[in-house]
Amino acid sequence: MEKRISTSKITPTLWFDNEAEAAVKLYTSIFNDSKIGRTTRYTRDGYEFHQKAEGSVMTIEFVIEGQEFVALNGGPMFQFNEAISFAVNCDTQDEVDYYWEKLGDGGDEKAQVCGWLKDKFGVSWQVVPTVLNDMVLDPDPAKVSRVLQVMYHMKKLDIAPLIEAYEKG
């Protein structure tokens, strides 16, 4: 029996209509530390419930940056929304720009606000410079306020103006 690619106790499952394979290929092409694991396929059994062609992809296991996921082709009845998102913590502006461009390509531009975006499959991502977390946790409320005032006017987060607002004063 083929082994799982990770031993995570909790595994997020992403429910797609029929796009699981395309989504997994995209995500694993964007993140360097990623791999695709086992794939299960639909059989004739349960067709009256799943309505999927025999042999089509049911689930695909994959790992991104050490986090295991499962992508499921479950049908159109459930859609992604912002109630669940994945944060991509970035150390540099180049990283922010890279992930913003790659994950946002073909996504909903109206959903781009304060570092949040939706990819072309409707999955929500937060592309966040790690320095922002330090700034908003500062005990000085004036610094935090200045940073947030700048951040709330951004789509993709830009580190330089955030640091400028933080250090001003």
Side-chain angles (χ1 to χ4, degrees), residues 94-107:
D94 286 343
E95 273 191 289
V96 170
D97 296 345
Y98 171 81
Y99 289 113
W100 186 267
E101 177 187 333
K102 296 295 185 183
L103 291 168
D105 186 28

Side-chain angles (χ1 to χ4, degrees), residues 14 16 19-36 60 62-64 71 98-107 117-123 125:
L14 304 176
F16 298 89
E19 304 86 7
E21 190 168 24
V24 168
K25 285 180 180 177
L26 175 68
Y27 301 151
T28 56
S29 76
I30 292 172
F31 294 89
N32 289 329
D33 185 13
S34 63
K35 59 185 171 182
I36 299 173
I60 304 175
F62 64 108
V63 175
I64 298 175
Y98 171 81
Y99 289 113
W100 186 267
E101 177 187 333
K102 296 295 185 183
L103 291 168
D105 186 28
L117 63 82
K118 279 189 178 183
D119 67 26
K120 65 183 177 182
F121 303 107
V123 175
W125 298 83

